[in-house]
Amino acid sequence: MKHLILAGYFLKKNLKSILSFAIILFVATVMFTSGIMITTSIDDDYKKRFDELNTADVSFVVPEQTYTDGLLDKIRATENVSDVETARGIMLSIPVQMNGMEQNQNQIFYRLDDIKNISKLNTISSTDKNLEHAIYIPYYLSANSDLALGSDFSFTADGTKYEFRVKGVMEEMQYGNYSSSVLGEYLPADSYEYLKEHNSDKETRTIFIKSSDEEQTLKDVSKILIENHIPILNKSRASVKKQSRLSVSNILVLILLAFAVIILFISLVVTRFKIKQTLEEDLTNMGVLKSLGYKSHEIITGIVLPYVIATLVFSGLGIVLATPVLGLLGNVISTQAGFVWEPQLNIVASLIIVISIITLITVSTYLSTRKIKKLKPIEAIRGIGENETIKNPFPIAKTKGNVNFIMALKNFANSISGNILLGTILLLTTILASFVVTLFYNVNVSPENFVNTLVEEHPTVMVKQRENIKDEIAKDYKTIYYDENCESVLDGNSYKTFVAETFESMANDLVFEGSNPKNSDEVAVGSSLKEKYDYKIGDKIKLSSSNSHEYTITGFVQSVNNAGEVIEMTIDGYKNINEDYEPDTLYIYLDDETEEKATKLIEDLEAKYGDKIEQTVNYVSSMNSAVAMFISLIKIITIVIIIIALLVIYLVLNILLSGLIMSKKLELGVLKSVGFRTRQLVIQIVGGFMPSIIVFVLLGAVISSLCMNNVFDSIFSMVGAYKVSFEYPLFIFFGSAAFLAVSAILIGVILSMKIKRITVYSLIKES
């Protein structure tokens, strides 16, 4: 009973401070729960949906004219292969409206009847209306465009315009999103024949394979196709697709958990400080309680219990609120990943989170109250703590200077622990703010930095020529031959090979170690191949296609979309293994890239060269569309984290200033009675925290400027980006520091205005 009486007393006395602590803990719980739930469930849910649709572990896309039933028999007889199916399709590279902008994407228009037992489809929505030239679109396209049931889906290919009507939206686990390099569209028989009429030369056969060892099967089937001289138009394996589809969720989880840990740490620091402050303020009462027979453990329980109860209530509320937050995050992840994910709150995981947080807070608060055991009643009643002496720093009579400045110095010297607490919080929030503002700058202000980190080469315009027009175009524009669709064989496995006329003048240098190949006997290899074979710069590597040749490794490149399984070489280098190769893809660059100028360039080229051009792609529009989703997401994350940072600063200052004003109420009343105005007293109190505000936000800015590049390198390395093309301008770090410093001062002034309510009359009355 004594425990509850004391707990009620301490709860009533410190209610505002405990509520401030609880709100901070509530925010940490929401973020921590959201991050943990995503981490623990998305992999299982992804696998569940993958298995439900019996999605292929490995797939190959080959030209239809090269396919024979005998090929399928050979693949079926391969070790580790349990089942094989094929589906006809027409492979086109066409622009589609994504996020309000045109985005060029390779599309395979599958004959819907061919999709049977492997890589099945799940119908999300459909209409019963009879639509002419019906089409079923993938969920990713539906979620990122304005295409709805009954909408027109039209495009132009080789000068012919095709018009379809959206009959349904399908969920699939074969391709997924922009990073997959291919999207699947699905056509009923009549629609398929309508598209095939003028595109029979682009008809493909996709080989869907179920395998117990996807890497070995990829290698074995690649070998079969190579031996039969069958070109590989596209290939994929499940693990690589999963990595690209869940890349955003992985980064999002890391941000959530890191932020949650910092907020949880802040709540622990605040708790320890407030308990210490309570012990100092209630020193006399503690002595009285001990002299009346209260035991140390009863007093400790009375202090700790309100914090434990607040933790239980607000962490529980945090778990509850995490449910709608998870829904919002699930929608973001679904939109990016291309499959419908509805996260569910895991009761067991939720209980573990709550128990862990309660245990952490209980231990922390208990350790903060241990000094009560050593407290002697008589000394406590006299107001003397252990090893405590009364200090009067910067005495007014002996210190020269402005009285308000001297009083601020006294407040600073008498509130060292409070200044350290506030400084620690500001240091952490400055680093957090610097992180999100850096992310915002490189995604929203300079999106090319984000694009360069996650994608490969991106010119202004890509032109696929029918006749050689490269030299003519190069007279007016910076133009090179570049081809991302070549293949070369290493150790019996076929890998995508980037072939360039030169790598020196490209927009995005993918090399993160060493240098690009310059000569015909040099190559650069992807990050995954580097790790798999433990390659070093200078090592020899034997590649083959129709011929074989030995190359020297000059560098290592990143390719997020291909999971680092790529090779770079020059045109002459590729001719060593494929002597018949002739490049036909031109990458054209403008110094000032905008969608309008890229569109105008395409119009000019098509008007001038006409039938000499097979295809053009507005890469600026495609990149803008691809990054549009991230722009809105990062904007929301930035705003939310800044708001939370300001809320934490407010709550911490509320605890500090409330305690300070309460402990100095007598002194403040006396100062008002001798003529000090409220404004002067506010300056004195807030001025006492100015040194820690200024010093720690500057320290946070310096630490951020020195370490932020390493932070982003670590985050993006999780998705295979080893060369982060972000900029880290100093104004981001010091601007964030200045914003938080000014905000802290303004919040301090607002909270200190409660001094206005302290009157000489109330002071005399209360005394």
Side-chain angles (χ1 to χ4, degrees):
M1 189 65 180
K2 289 182 179 181
H3 304 80
L4 295 177
I5 294 172
L6 288 176
Y9 165 75
F10 286 116
L11 176 61
K12 183 178 180 180
K13 181 176 177 59
N14 301 298
L15 182 60
K16 290 183 179 179
S17 298
I18 291 174
L19 281 176
S20 296
F21 149 78
I23 293 171
I24 296 173
L25 189 66
F26 168 76
V27 172
T29 304
V30 172
M31 303 190 76
F32 201 69
T33 302
S34 300
I36 292 294
M37 293 303 167
I38 294 173
T39 302
T40 55
S41 63
I42 193 165
D43 276 352
D44 290 341
D45 291 346
Y46 184 97
K47 186 179 185 304
K48 181 181 178 182
R49 192 61 50 83
F50 184 92
D51 292 340
E52 285 174 352
L53 298 179
N54 197 34
T55 309
D57 298 300
V58 179
S59 68
F60 291 86
V61 180
V62 301
E64 172 65 15
Q65 60 267 30
T66 65
Y67 173 80
T68 63
D69 290 336
L71 177 65
L72 198 64
D73 293 334
K74 291 179 182 178
I75 295 172
R76 188 174 283 111
T78 303
E79 188 179 3
N80 303 313
V81 172
S82 58
D83 197 7
V84 184
E85 282 184 356
T86 67
R88 286 166 290 177
I90 297 169
M91 191 171 186
L92 300 173
S93 180
I94 61 169
V96 293
Q97 287 292 321
M98 299 282 282
N99 300 303
M101 292 171 280
E102 275 196 352
Q103 179 174 306
N104 210 79
Q105 180 79 53
N106 288 325
Q107 315 268 342
I108 299 181
F109 293 83
Y110 283 105
R111 185 182 175 94
L112 187 59
D113 293 341
D114 284 3
I115 307 296
K116 295 184 175 64
N117 296 316
I118 303 181
S119 293
K120 294 184 290 187
L121 306 171
N122 176 43
T123 304
I124 295 175
S125 60
S126 63
T127 177
D128 294 330
K129 294 180 181 178
N130 291 321
L131 302 177
E132 185 180 9
H133 299 152
I135 185 172
Y136 292 84
I137 63 175
Y139 172 72
Y140 175 76
L141 181 57
S142 171
N144 289 280
S145 71
D146 56 1
L147 291 172
L149 297 180
S151 295
D152 290 330
F153 183 103
S154 60
F155 58 88
T156 300
D158 278 349
T160 302
K161 185 175 182 180
Y162 298 92
E163 295 182 347
F164 297 90
R165 300 288 296 279
V166 178
K167 187 173 177 62
V169 177
M170 313 299 280
E171 183 182 31
E172 53 77 40
M173 302 298 288
Q174 179 64 39
Y175 297 111
N177 60 11
Y178 182 79
S179 299
S180 303
S181 74
V182 172
L183 287 182
E185 315 286 351
Y186 305 92
L187 304 175
D190 60 329
S191 297
Y192 186 82
E193 295 303 320
Y194 162 64
L195 181 61
K196 180 182 174 182
E197 184 178 354
H198 297 291
N199 294 283
S200 58
D201 60 322
K202 296 181 176 65
E203 192 170 21
T204 62
R205 183 71 68 126
T206 301
I207 305 168
F208 298 119
I209 306 170
K210 293 298 293 180
S211 169
S212 58
D213 187 339
E214 64 175 50
E215 186 172 355
Q216 186 60 44
T217 296
L218 192 75
K219 182 176 180 179
D220 293 341
V221 177
S222 293
K223 184 178 180 181
I224 292 171
L225 296 175
I226 292 165
E227 289 174 348
N228 286 271
H229 307 291
I230 297 174
I232 300 172
L233 302 178
N234 181 267
K235 64 178 179 179
S236 68
R237 55 190 175 109
S239 58
V240 173
K241 293 298 182 190
K242 180 181 177 182
Q243 178 180 315
S244 66
R245 291 177 80 147
L246 300 183
S247 58
V248 168
S249 68
N250 291 334
I251 294 174
L252 187 62
V253 165
L254 190 62
I255 293 173
L256 281 172
L257 292 179
F259 194 51
V261 168
I262 290 174
I263 299 297
L264 187 59
F265 172 77
I266 288 173
S267 66
L268 292 174
V269 173
V270 167
T271 307
R272 290 180 65 86
F273 172 81
K274 185 56 190 174
I275 289 176
K276 181 181 178 182
Q277 192 181 63
T278 299
L279 295 180
E280 292 173 353
E281 292 173 357
D282 273 5
L283 189 65
T284 301
N285 290 338
M286 301 287 181
V288 171
L289 289 171
K290 277 203 162 187
S291 66
L292 291 174
Y294 281 86
K295 297 179 180 179
S296 296
H297 72 85
E298 293 173 333
I299 300 173
I300 290 173
T301 303
I303 295 174
V304 170
L305 196 57
Y307 288 95
V308 175
I309 293 172
T311 301
L312 178 61
V313 172
F314 280 83
S315 60
L317 289 174
I319 296 289
V320 172
L321 186 65
T323 302
V325 171
L326 271 173
L328 294 173
L329 294 174
N331 184 56
V332 170
I333 292 171
S334 295
T335 301
Q336 187 275 334
F339 80 105
V340 180
W341 183 56
E342 297 176 352
Q344 302 293 324
L345 203 62
N346 187 312
I347 301 300
V348 175
S350 300
L351 287 174
I352 292 173
I353 291 171
V354 171
I355 292 170
S356 300
I357 292 175
I358 290 175
T359 302
L360 197 60
I361 296 297
T362 302
V363 171
S364 176
T365 50
Y366 171 76
L367 293 176
S368 303
T369 58
R370 284 184 303 171
K371 65 184 297 184
I372 292 175
K373 294 181 178 180
K374 300 179 181 179
L375 192 65
K376 298 176 182 178
I378 188 63
E379 291 183 354
I381 292 172
R382 292 172 60 194
I384 304 173
E386 188 178 2
N387 300 324
E388 186 178 314
T389 58
I390 299 174
K391 297 179 182 179
N392 181 29
F394 304 104
I396 296 177
K398 297 180 181 180
T399 307
K400 295 180 180 181
N402 179 276
V403 67
N404 289 319
F405 178 71
I406 295 171
M407 294 295 287
L409 287 177
K410 289 173 69 70
N411 287 332
F412 171 74
N414 288 321
S415 306
I416 293 297
S417 59
N419 272 277
I420 292 174
L421 169 65
L422 179 60
T424 302
I425 305 310
L426 285 170
L427 173 67
L428 295 173
T429 52
T430 301
I431 294 172
L432 279 174
S434 296
F435 172 84
V436 295
V437 175
T438 300
L439 191 60
F440 180 87
Y441 176 83
N442 286 283
V443 175
N444 295 56
V445 180
S446 297
E448 65 276 4
N449 298 334
F450 183 70
V451 170
N452 284 343
T453 300
L454 292 181
V455 304
E456 287 76 43
E457 182 61 4
H458 51 91
T460 307
V461 169
M462 184 274 280
V463 172
K464 192 164 186 178
Q465 62 182 22
R466 283 196 177 96
E467 299 179 25
N468 191 343
I469 54 175
K470 192 260 184 182
D471 292 337
E472 295 180 55
I473 296 177
K475 293 176 183 177
D476 301 314
Y477 308 101
K478 176 183 169 184
T479 306
I480 64 169
Y481 279 122
Y482 188 77
D483 192 345
E484 291 186 345
N485 296 310
C486 296
E487 296 281 336
S488 57
V489 178
L490 168 65
D491 191 28
N493 207 347
S494 176
Y495 293 101
K496 184 179 285 291
T497 303
F498 299 158
V499 177
E501 177 182 349
T502 175
F503 291 95
E504 294 180 355
S505 55
M506 296 176 68
N508 189 15
D509 185 0
L510 301 177
V511 171
F512 63 87
E513 183 181 344
S515 61
N516 286 300
K518 295 180 180 179
N519 301 317
S520 61
D521 295 328
E522 296 176 341
V523 294
V525 301
S527 53
S528 292
L529 301 182
K530 173 183 183 289
E531 295 172 5
K532 181 178 180 180
Y533 295 102
D534 194 26
Y535 284 135
K536 305 289 189 300
I537 292 176
D539 284 355
K540 301 295 182 179
I541 179 173
K542 188 175 183 180
L543 301 174
S544 61
S545 181
S546 55
N547 301 311
S548 297
H549 191 79
E550 188 175 72
Y551 300 86
T552 300
I553 296 176
T554 62
F556 303 109
V557 299
Q558 70 178 25
S559 176
V560 176
N561 292 336
N562 297 285
E565 296 185 343
V566 295
I567 296 169
E568 266 191 3
M569 64 175 69
T570 63
I571 292 175
D572 289 338
Y574 192 62
K575 285 186 175 181
N576 285 330
I577 57 174
N578 189 342
E579 57 190 18
D580 296 327
Y581 174 74
E582 290 297 334
D584 60 1
T585 305
L586 303 174
Y587 275 24
I588 305 173
Y589 302 84
L590 296 180
D591 293 331
D592 182 19
E593 288 187 340
T594 63
E595 284 191 55
E596 293 75 16
K597 290 186 177 181
T599 301
K600 179 66 166 56
L601 174 57
I602 289 174
E603 291 173 353
D604 292 344
L605 291 172
E606 290 179 343
K608 185 173 182 179
Y609 298 105
D611 292 340
K612 294 180 180 179
I613 294 176
E614 178 181 333
Q615 181 190 11
T616 58
V617 175
N618 186 330
Y619 253 86
V620 178
S621 178
S622 294
M623 289 299 102
N624 288 345
S625 175
V627 82
M629 177 178 61
F630 295 100
I631 287 176
S632 58
L633 175 61
I634 297 305
K635 187 183 294 183
I636 293 170
I637 289 175
T638 302
I639 292 171
V640 169
I641 290 183
I642 293 296
I643 289 174
I644 292 175
L646 292 177
L647 175 64
V648 169
I649 292 172
Y650 169 84
L651 294 172
V652 171
L653 278 170
N654 185 45
I655 292 172
L656 290 173
L657 293 173
S658 295
L660 181 63
I661 291 171
M662 184 62 66
S663 65
K664 297 171 74 70
K665 198 170 185 179
L666 175 62
E667 179 184 334
L668 292 170
V670 171
L671 290 173
K672 290 191 81 170
S673 70
V674 298
F676 280 88
R677 297 178 180 177
T678 299
R679 179 177 59 83
Q680 292 174 305
L681 298 177
V682 169
I683 291 173
Q684 292 171 17
I685 288 179
V686 176
F689 292 105
M690 286 285 284
S692 64
I693 291 174
I694 295 172
V695 170
F696 280 92
V697 296
L698 286 176
L699 181 60
V702 171
I703 292 174
S704 297
S705 65
L706 294 175
C707 303
M708 198 56 65
N709 60 328
N710 294 325
V711 171
F712 280 102
D713 285 348
S714 299
I715 290 174
F716 280 99
S717 66
M718 292 175 57
V719 296
Y722 296 93
K723 182 179 182 180
V724 181
S725 300
F726 278 18
E727 296 177 55
Y728 305 95
L730 289 178
F731 74 80
I732 287 178
F733 310 116
F734 290 96
S736 300
F739 171 76
L740 291 177
V742 171
S743 299
I745 292 169
L746 289 176
I747 291 170
V749 169
I750 293 169
L751 291 172
S752 298
M753 290 304 293
K754 65 177 67 175
I755 294 171
K756 190 175 183 178
R757 296 196 296 269
I758 300 177
T759 63
V760 177
Y761 173 77
S762 66
L763 175 66
I764 296 172
K765 184 178 179 181
E766 290 178 15
S767 61

